[in-house]
Amino acid sequence: MKLFSVLLQRQKVLHFPSVQMVLKDNASASEAFDKVAKKYSQVINRVGQEFENRFCDLDQLEPCVSFISNPFMNVDISCIAEQLSATLSLDAEQTHPGTEVTVVDVYDHMASLQPLWKQVEGFRKAVEPIMRKAPHGVHLLCFSQDTEYLRNLFPDSVKKTLFLVCYNGVGQKVSVCGYWNDPHHRSRYLKSNNFLPLLNGDTPHKEMEAWKDNFLRIKKLVLIGGPDDGVITPWQSSHFGFYDNKERIVEMRNQKFYRNDTFGLKTLSARGDVSLCLQSGVQHIRWHSNYTVFSSCMEEWLT
């Protein structure tokens, strides 16, 4: 940017082929260019400054990104929480001054492997005091839940054999097994998984109606994902899509839990309160720091 600005000030158009063509064929254009070169140089300077302002927080964000990519790294989690909270506040403060951003700091590092129902209870205790201070409601920004590190541990066999590890009493004591949905072993998934099938209503239970009522208290559900995520598999599961037993994508509205409205997703969608936001070119660890994602998928729903 600085190079272009200097060249324009000196009226050198080597890097501006369109300007070269106009000046070559039009003498009056050359006179006009003499008058506006400084103006355009100032415009480029402003663009360069805006670029620096927009990305000046990347150095601060780097440890946050590294931690999200590898939750087992040895870092000070309280420091990460403060940095992430400050980063999230940047955009919220611009669009809604006075917005308070809180990072819920629970189940870090190896604690993230604890059983999911235990984590649910811990998360509930952490957010209860926050929600009591906000009687009109809160916005929850929820990022990921993946088995990427299992893929690193078992790169060649995880897809075919992880059900042997997960679909039993011992496996269900490890968090990632609670949301491991193997489309090739559906019956074992429904019988042995004690978390995700219950949430989706695939396995009937006595709390289904109460959970459905709670789900329908959501005012707007925004589901964000894209084909370049690189971790979420399939990426359509960000939008409640998933594989059939031949690994063909079945989109949300054709899922059994949607058609049967087992936990309220169909009702929420019929209300017009489910928004699917698809963003290409965004890698998994960049969702929370991508300004286009914020402005395109989140900003309009902030109240």
Side-chain angles (χ1 to χ4, degrees), residues 73-109:
M73 65 186 294
N74 184 22
V75 296
D76 182 353
I77 186 60
S78 61
C79 179
I80 291 292
E82 290 175 3
Q83 291 174 342
L84 190 55
S85 179
T87 303
L88 288 172
S89 295
L90 293 176
D91 293 326
E93 282 289 345
Q94 290 177 13
T95 54
H96 291 272
T99 298
E100 181 179 347
V101 178
T102 303
V103 175
V104 179
D105 178 17
V106 291
Y107 298 104
D108 308 313
H109 308 299

Side-chain angles (χ1 to χ4, degrees), residues 198-201 205-218 257-268 271:
L198 301 181
L199 285 184
N200 287 346
H205 56 90
K206 64 180 181 179
E207 303 292 344
M208 285 184 68
E209 287 303 314
W211 291 4
K212 183 175 181 178
D213 290 342
N214 283 337
F215 183 81
L216 290 174
R217 294 170 63 189
I218 295 174
F257 58 70
Y258 182 92
R259 297 198 310 268
N260 294 340
D261 203 25
T262 54
F263 63 92
L265 185 60
K266 184 177 181 180
T267 298
L268 197 69
R271 264 175 26 194

Side-chain angles (χ1 to χ4, degrees), residues 13 17-30:
V13 295
S18 297
V19 176
Q20 289 184 56
M21 293 177 59
V22 173
L23 295 178
K24 180 179 179 181
D25 300 330
N26 192 327
S28 61
S30 180

Side-chain angles (χ1 to χ4, degrees), residues 157-303:
S157 60
V158 63
K159 183 177 177 181
K160 295 181 179 180
T161 61
L162 189 58
F163 77 96
L164 296 172
V165 176
C166 284
Y167 295 162
N168 57 68
V170 176
Q172 289 301 296
K173 294 180 179 179
V174 181
S175 62
V176 291
C177 287
Y179 50 83
W180 184 259
N181 183 358
D182 192 326
H184 301 289
H185 300 277
R186 179 73 175 175
S187 61
R188 292 190 64 166
Y189 161 76
L190 294 175
K191 180 180 179 180
S192 303
N193 190 307
N194 64 20
F195 185 78
L196 189 57
L198 301 181
L199 285 184
N200 287 346
D202 292 325
T203 300
H205 56 90
K206 64 180 181 179
E207 303 292 344
M208 285 184 68
E209 287 303 314
W211 291 4
K212 183 175 181 178
D213 290 342
N214 283 337
F215 183 81
L216 290 174
R217 294 170 63 189
I218 295 174
K219 293 182 178 179
K220 177 66 67 172
L221 178 65
V222 182
L223 304 171
I224 305 171
D228 301 304
D229 180 280
V231 171
I232 301 297
T233 306
W235 72 263
Q236 290 89 344
S237 61
S238 301
H239 294 165
F240 278 109
F242 198 63
Y243 295 128
D244 63 11
N245 60 5
K246 294 184 179 180
E247 297 195 17
R248 297 170 300 197
I249 296 297
V250 180
E251 65 103 23
M252 178 181 74
R253 288 173 176 80
N254 291 325
Q255 291 287 340
K256 185 177 180 180
F257 58 70
Y258 182 92
R259 297 198 310 268
N260 294 340
D261 203 25
T262 54
F263 63 92
L265 185 60
K266 184 177 181 180
T267 298
L268 197 69
S269 180
R271 264 175 26 194
D273 290 330
V274 176
S275 173
L276 304 184
C277 190
L278 190 156
Q279 292 288 314
S280 300
V282 183
Q283 295 178 337
H284 185 69
I285 60 173
R286 304 295 180 187
W287 287 108
H288 65 289
S289 60
N290 186 295
Y291 183 76
T292 299
V293 172
F294 172 79
S295 59
S296 300
C297 303
M298 304 178 194
E299 183 176 353
E300 68 174 299
W301 307 117
L302 295 179
T303 57

Side-chain angles (χ1 to χ4, degrees), residues 1-2 46-57:
M1 288 292 188
K2 291 181 180 179
R46 287 198 298 271
V47 171
Q49 187 60 53
E50 178 63 23
F51 184 90
E52 290 183 11
N53 292 342
R54 178 61 62 190
F55 293 98
C56 67
D57 61 313

